[in-house]
Amino acid sequence: MSRGSCAGTITPDTKVAAVLGDFPQLETIVAELSPSFAALKTSALRQAVAKTTTLTQLAQADGISIGTLISRLREAAGQESSAALGRNQDRPTWASTDSAARSFDARTMIQQGGHPLERVMQGVGKLGSGDVYELVTPFAPSPLIELIRQRGFEAHCVTVAQDECRTYFRRG
């Protein structure tokens, strides 16, 4: 999938046009959260801006939280699956800050448009059997959770507050 495409999960790198192309019903949510987008009165102007603007850029331009924007859009698009994030099950005892051998708070990095993928992959790669890695993000990192699960790790995601999601990974 190319950067900016939205055929998969909505991410901070997704272009606004891709989100609206795949989920036209989300335009009202984008306009509600983004005064600058809402101020673009004509459809043609909105489309032109949307083609080049990522969700991160939109959030930064309006001073809104990328976590709020991503969470609201994913929820409305039906992309926040509790089962996929491990939320539909009781929280395992190992899924806690106290159990974490390593922890990384990626909220600032993500809000500034950065990507924690490489750092998180290095961190979980260093875990021993049964060790836990805690990742703090402004929204549930669904694609990252799936990627790490495919590598044989367990995962459990907990939304602590708006803009604070803690995901725990454990080597199986």
Side-chain angles (χ1 to χ4, degrees):
M1 177 182 1
S2 67
R3 281 177 72 108
S5 111
C6 190
T9 302
I10 296 169
T11 70
D13 284 334
T14 305
K15 300 279 188 198
V16 175
V19 172
L20 300 180
D22 289 351
F23 307 100
Q25 73 276 19
L26 299 183
E27 184 169 356
T28 57
I29 293 173
V30 172
E32 172 191 320
L33 293 172
S34 171
S36 62
F37 186 81
L40 303 173
K41 299 296 182 197
T42 68
S43 178
L45 190 54
R46 280 188 179 184
Q47 287 176 3
V49 170
K51 286 179 183 177
T52 60
T53 305
T54 65
L55 293 176
T56 295
Q57 292 168 329
L58 186 71
Q60 289 172 340
D62 286 305
I64 60 174
S65 157
I66 189 66
T68 299
L69 181 60
I70 296 292
S71 295
R72 289 276 309 276
L73 293 175
R74 283 184 182 171
E75 182 180 337
Q79 292 187 349
E80 285 297 297
S81 165
S82 294
L85 300 174
R87 289 184 183 155
N88 65 338
Q89 21 181 296
D90 289 332
R91 185 174 180 170
T93 56
W94 58 264
S96 72
T97 301
D98 294 340
S99 299
R102 299 178 184 279
S103 183
F104 174 50
D105 188 336
R107 290 177 291 184
T108 301
M109 174 188 276
I110 292 169
Q111 189 70 31
Q112 294 173 347
H115 304 279
L117 175 65
E118 185 176 325
R119 183 164 173 182
V120 173
M121 295 307 289
Q122 288 175 354
V124 297
K126 294 177 182 176
L127 294 176
S129 181
D131 285 347
V132 175
Y133 185 92
E134 176 187 54
L135 173 63
V136 184
T137 53
F139 53 86
S142 304
L144 183 59
I145 290 171
E146 282 309 308
L147 177 65
I148 293 174
R149 279 192 173 148
Q150 290 172 3
R151 296 189 179 190
F153 289 82
E154 294 177 81
H156 188 81
C157 186
V158 179
T159 300
V160 178
Q162 184 176 353
D163 295 331
E164 185 178 348
C165 184
R166 292 178 182 265
T167 306
Y168 300 93
F169 300 101
R170 182 171 78 161
R171 186 179 291 279

